[in-house]
Structure formats: C-alpha cells, structure tokens
Amino acid sequence: MDLKLDGKIALVTGSSKGIGEGIARGLAREGAIIIVHGRDKAKAEEVADSISREGGRSYVVTGDLTCEDDVQRLVEKAQAFVRP
C-alpha cells in the first residue's frame, strides 16, 4: 500500500505501547517520520530505536497530555526535531 507518506511527519500520541505503537510502526513502514510519544521515556525510546533499526526515522517526546505545560513542551520539542 502506498499512502504517499514519504517525508511526512506523524506525532503519534501513546505510541510507546499497544495500539499507538502499532500505528506508529505502520506509518513508519509507509515512509513517515515518526515522533514517538509516551509518558515512559525508556519504552518510547525502545519503540523509536526499533523503528530506526527497521529503516525508519523516529524521534521521542515524553509528557503527560493532561498537563498543559507538558503539552506545550512536547509540541516545541517535536517542532525542533523536524525543522530544516
């Protein structure tokens, strides 16, 4: 399947495990640059490292989406990863 995602950026919240992880991996296989998100940095890094080993591009951001300050920091960090 070609979803034409090459070079597109996908911030997948809750992608350090479960359904979110599956979505992140699927988007990575389609060529998207993945920003893995979760509250557990070690788990998020495991997923991102695995995506990278499989040939994808991935970065990690952590934070609690119920905390406005965490959300703002997450957005800023994600934007910094993908700026030219």
Side-chain angles (χ1 to χ4, degrees), residues 16-51:
S16 62
K17 62 182 179 178
I19 294 170
E21 178 181 352
I23 291 169
R25 289 180 183 284
L27 293 173
R29 283 191 295 273
E30 291 293 325
I33 300 164
I34 305 300
I35 301 177
V36 178
H37 163 265
R39 290 179 292 181
D40 185 320
K41 185 175 182 179
K43 286 183 182 180
E45 287 175 345
E46 283 179 32
V47 173
D49 290 345
S50 177
I51 288 171

Side-chain angles (χ1 to χ4, degrees), residues 1-21:
M1 177 184 318
D2 184 7
L3 299 177
K4 300 183 185 338
L5 297 179
D6 286 337
K8 301 289 183 182
I9 300 154
L11 167 59
V12 184
T13 60
S15 54
S16 62
K17 62 182 179 178
I19 294 170
E21 178 181 352

Side-chain angles (χ1 to χ4, degrees), residues 25-76:
R25 289 180 183 284
L27 293 173
R29 283 191 295 273
E30 291 293 325
I33 300 164
I34 305 300
I35 301 177
V36 178
H37 163 265
R39 290 179 292 181
D40 185 320
K41 185 175 182 179
K43 286 183 182 180
E45 287 175 345
E46 283 179 32
V47 173
D49 290 345
S50 177
I51 288 171
S52 295
R53 283 193 306 274
E54 294 171 5
R57 288 178 52 197
S58 60
Y59 303 94
V60 173
V61 295
T62 58
D64 182 345
L65 297 180
T66 66
C67 175
E68 192 172 328
D69 289 340
D70 278 9
V71 172
Q72 184 60 40
R73 197 169 355 97
L74 181 152
V75 169
E76 290 169 2

